[in-house]
Amino acid sequence: MVLMKLLATAGSPYARKVRVVLAEKRIDCEIVILPSLSDPDCPVPTYNPLGKVPTLVLDDGSGLYDSPVICEYLDSKTPVAHLIPQDRRIEVKRWEALADGICDATVAIVMEGRRAPEKQDESVIQRQRLKVERGLQTLSQDLGENKWCLGEAFTLADVAVGCALGYLALRMPELDWRARHPNLGRLYDQLMKRPSFRNTAPPT
Ligand SMILES: N[C@@H](CCC(=O)N[C@@H](CS)C(=O)NCC(=O)O)C(=O)O
């Protein structure tokens, strides 16, 4: 019987990262797509005091978070399709931190944009936008002409970068990262050939 359960939302780039890892590693896990995190009966806070997704509910009923911790846990669970090579672990984690940081800045821009127009602070938006732009610049520079982030091996770095790019395309289409960084477009197209990515694309 499968007891492990992933609490997610359809659009969360952090939850997508975990969903891709589950698919790549062929790990059985129930995926619960929650319609909203603000419902009073939302189950997330029961397992994660921070109330954030993704949260993985383990077989013993305890909660695991956040997405980097869950991904590392899942990668250690089975040797199938290793995504964090031990000899390059810190490199992979650095790519992941940058990709997740781009998502954090994008979320902050989206949240600021949801405030009443008179309450929005343009300087907050500009500061976060600079993080996104510098982050993309670094991703693009570091990828260069490589097939994958670390060269020949497909790793969690590619998963994290792909989820950040997909989220940006959805939330900040005007940024047009494909036109600015064609090598990131090439990476995303490669990723979308994988069922793990195609089946977890955020709803438009
Ligand atoms: N660092 C966390 C970020 C998770 C996160 O911020 N998730 C968002 C959804 S995209 C969320 O749950 N937001 C609800 C909240 O902050 O209350 C991770 O990587 O898992």
Side-chain angles (χ1 to χ4, degrees), residues 5-9 15 30 32 34 43-44 47 52-57:
K5 194 164 65 176
L6 180 72
L7 304 180
T9 54
E30 183 189 350
V32 181
L34 300 162
V44 178
Y47 303 102
K52 294 186 182 198
V53 291
T55 293
L56 185 68
V57 183

Side-chain angles (χ1 to χ4, degrees), residues 128-161:
Q128 299 297 335
R129 200 186 154 100
L130 270 177
K131 293 178 201 276
V132 174
E133 287 177 356
R134 289 194 305 255
L136 284 170
Q137 183 69 37
T138 300
L139 291 180
S140 172
Q141 251 165 30
D142 292 355
L143 177 65
E145 292 310 311
N146 286 338
K147 178 172 183 200
W148 301 117
C149 297
L150 262 63
E152 283 307 305
F154 172 75
T155 69
L156 179 65
D158 303 294
V159 177
V161 171

Side-chain angles (χ1 to χ4, degrees), residues 13-170:
Y14 316 98
R16 185 183 188 191
K17 198 164 39 130
V18 175
R19 290 162 68 200
V20 169
V21 168
L22 284 168
E24 290 287 340
K25 294 185 69 71
R26 298 187 194 90
I27 295 176
D28 270 341
C29 178
E30 183 189 350
I31 296 172
V32 181
I33 302 290
L34 300 162
S36 156
L37 297 177
S38 43
D39 283 354
D41 54 355
C42 174
V44 178
T46 305
Y47 303 102
N48 176 353
L50 303 174
K52 294 186 182 198
V53 291
T55 293
L56 185 68
V57 183
L58 299 175
D59 294 0
D60 66 0
S62 62
L64 195 64
Y65 38 85
D66 54 357
S67 64
V69 176
I70 300 173
C71 290
E72 189 146 2
Y73 168 74
L74 294 174
D75 199 45
S76 71
K77 225 175 139 57
T78 148
V80 174
H82 241 306
L83 294 173
I84 310 177
Q86 276 314 300
D87 56 339
R88 303 188 72 180
R89 178 172 175 271
I90 296 301
E91 253 179 285
V92 170
K93 302 298 286 179
R94 201 272 324 190
W95 280 94
E96 185 185 26
L98 181 53
D100 285 3
I102 290 174
C103 294
D104 295 343
T106 307
V107 168
I109 292 171
V110 170
M111 299 311 280
E112 192 64 25
R114 283 187 187 157
R115 287 158 62 89
E118 67 280 8
K119 288 193 177 155
Q120 288 179 22
D121 183 342
E122 189 54 31
S123 71
V124 169
I125 294 175
Q126 281 316 318
R127 202 154 49 83
Q128 299 297 335
R129 200 186 154 100
L130 270 177
K131 293 178 201 276
V132 174
E133 287 177 356
R134 289 194 305 255
L136 284 170
Q137 183 69 37
T138 300
L139 291 180
S140 172
Q141 251 165 30
D142 292 355
L143 177 65
E145 292 310 311
N146 286 338
K147 178 172 183 200
W148 301 117
C149 297
L150 262 63
E152 283 307 305
F154 172 75
T155 69
L156 179 65
D158 303 294
V159 177
V161 171
C163 293
L165 293 175
Y167 189 62
L168 268 179
L170 183 74

